[in-house]
Amino acid sequence: LFLLAGAGLIVYFRYEKSRMERKRVTEATKGVGKPKVGGDFELVDQNGNKFTGEDMKGKYALVYFGFTHCPDICPEELDKMADMIDLVKEKNGNVMRPVFITCDPARDTPAVTKSYLQEFHPDLIGLTGTWEQIKAVCKLYRVYFSTPPNVKPGQDYLVDHSIYFYLMDPEGDFVEAIGRQHTAARAAEIISAHVNDWRGKLDRS
Ligand SMILES: [Cu+2]
C-alpha cells in the first residue's frame, strides 16, 4: 500500500509539473506586454466566403502557413496535421478549427486551395487573399513572407515559409507553436492538454 501511494504521488507530481509547465506557457504568451502573435485579419476561404479572425474564435484553432506548390514540406506537414485533427477529435470532440493559410496568394486561389486541401482532411479551412492581405496576416503571425509582388501568370518562383503549427485559444490568443520535431501523436497530446486546462467557453459542436 505504501509503495502504491508512493507511485501515486510520483504520478501526481509529474501531472502537476506538466500542468504548471503548460500554465507557464499559456501565461507567458497571454500576458500583457508580451510580443503578440495573431490578431484580426480578413481573408477568403476555399469556398469564396469572407473569413476573419473573429471566425476563428470559439474553438481552439490550429493555424498552418504553406502553399499548394510546395514540393515536400507542406504535404508532409499537412498529412501530420490530418492525423492531429483526428487524434484531437477522438479525445476531445469537435473542439478545433484547423486552418491553412497560403503564403502564395498569386497561385493559390480559393479553387486551387480547395482541391489541394481535399487530399488531406475535410475539416481543413483554406484561406487566401490579396498579396497585401496575406502579407499582413503573415506579419501578425511573425511568419516569413517571401512571395514577390506582381508575379506574372505562369512565372515560376520559390516561396519560403516558416514551418509551425500555431495553436490559438478560443478567444483568439496565441497558446504555443508546435514545431516539426513533434509527431502527430505528441502534438495531439499537447493540444488535448491545453483543451483540458481551458475553463472558458468552448464550442464542441
Ligand atoms: Cu511548404
Side-chain angles (χ1 to χ4, degrees), residues 64 66-67 70 73-74 161:
Y64 179 76
F67 65 111
C70 185
I73 294 169
C74 283
H161 65 92

Side-chain angles (χ1 to χ4, degrees), residues 59-100:
K59 295 179 187 287
Y60 271 84
L62 189 65
V63 184
Y64 179 76
F65 288 81
F67 65 111
T68 68
H69 281 67
C70 185
D72 42 19
I73 294 169
C74 283
E76 232 173 73
E77 294 303 288
L78 286 170
D79 271 336
K80 198 165 104 181
M81 195 172 182
D83 291 341
M84 284 157 68
I85 296 166
D86 288 335
L87 289 167
V88 169
K89 221 176 188 176
E90 215 172 90
K91 226 175 159 190
N92 310 281
N94 193 18
V95 296
M96 192 170 73
R97 232 185 288 281
V99 177
F100 168 91

Side-chain angles (χ1 to χ4, degrees), residues 86-119:
D86 288 335
L87 289 167
V88 169
K89 221 176 188 176
E90 215 172 90
K91 226 175 159 190
N92 310 281
N94 193 18
V95 296
M96 192 170 73
R97 232 185 288 281
V99 177
F100 168 91
I101 302 179
T102 183
C103 315
D104 187 9
R107 291 184 290 197
D108 292 344
T109 61
V112 167
T113 308
K114 185 173 183 166
S115 70
Y116 180 71
L117 291 181
Q118 273 164 358
E119 293 173 34

Side-chain angles (χ1 to χ4, degrees), residues 3-195:
L3 265 176
L4 264 178
L9 266 180
I10 291 170
V11 170
Y12 175 75
F13 280 126
R14 280 213 188 119
Y15 168 80
E16 256 313 281
K17 197 177 157 228
S18 62
R19 197 181 64 85
M20 291 312 285
E21 180 65 18
R22 284 197 306 279
K23 202 165 172 238
R24 199 184 54 74
V25 168
T26 309
E27 276 169 6
T29 50
K30 214 175 164 93
V32 183
K34 298 290 187 313
K36 206 165 155 51
V37 176
D40 203 21
F41 58 80
E42 187 178 321
L43 297 169
V44 62
D45 73 13
Q46 72 266 47
N47 298 310
N49 300 314
K50 189 173 97 171
F51 190 101
T52 68
E54 280 301 309
D55 296 316
M56 227 166 61
K57 296 181 185 173
K59 295 179 187 287
Y60 271 84
L62 189 65
V63 184
Y64 179 76
F65 288 81
F67 65 111
T68 68
H69 281 67
C70 185
D72 42 19
I73 294 169
C74 283
E76 232 173 73
E77 294 303 288
L78 286 170
D79 271 336
K80 198 165 104 181
M81 195 172 182
D83 291 341
M84 284 157 68
I85 296 166
D86 288 335
L87 289 167
V88 169
K89 221 176 188 176
E90 215 172 90
K91 226 175 159 190
N92 310 281
N94 193 18
V95 296
M96 192 170 73
R97 232 185 288 281
V99 177
F100 168 91
I101 302 179
T102 183
C103 315
D104 187 9
R107 291 184 290 197
D108 292 344
T109 61
V112 167
T113 308
K114 185 173 183 166
S115 70
Y116 180 71
L117 291 181
Q118 273 164 358
E119 293 173 34
F120 298 99
H121 201 286
D123 289 2
L124 278 163
I125 297 167
L127 304 180
T128 185
T130 63
W131 188 87
E132 285 81 10
Q133 284 174 324
I134 295 296
K135 189 178 161 56
V137 73
C138 284
K139 197 175 168 203
L140 284 176
Y141 281 85
R142 289 151 201 280
V143 168
Y144 180 61
F145 178 69
S146 68
T147 303
N150 311 316
V151 284
K152 313 263 177 305
Q155 183 188 336
D156 205 15
Y157 52 91
L158 287 172
V159 178
D160 218 343
H161 65 92
S162 327
I163 308 152
Y164 283 108
F165 294 102
Y166 296 84
L167 184 65
M168 312 299 287
D169 75 21
E171 290 170 356
D173 287 319
F174 172 69
V175 180
E176 71 173 287
I178 297 168
R180 289 197 83 192
Q181 74 274 20
H182 295 305
T183 60
R186 182 67 197 116
E189 273 173 21
I190 294 171
I191 297 166
S192 299
H194 282 297
V195 169

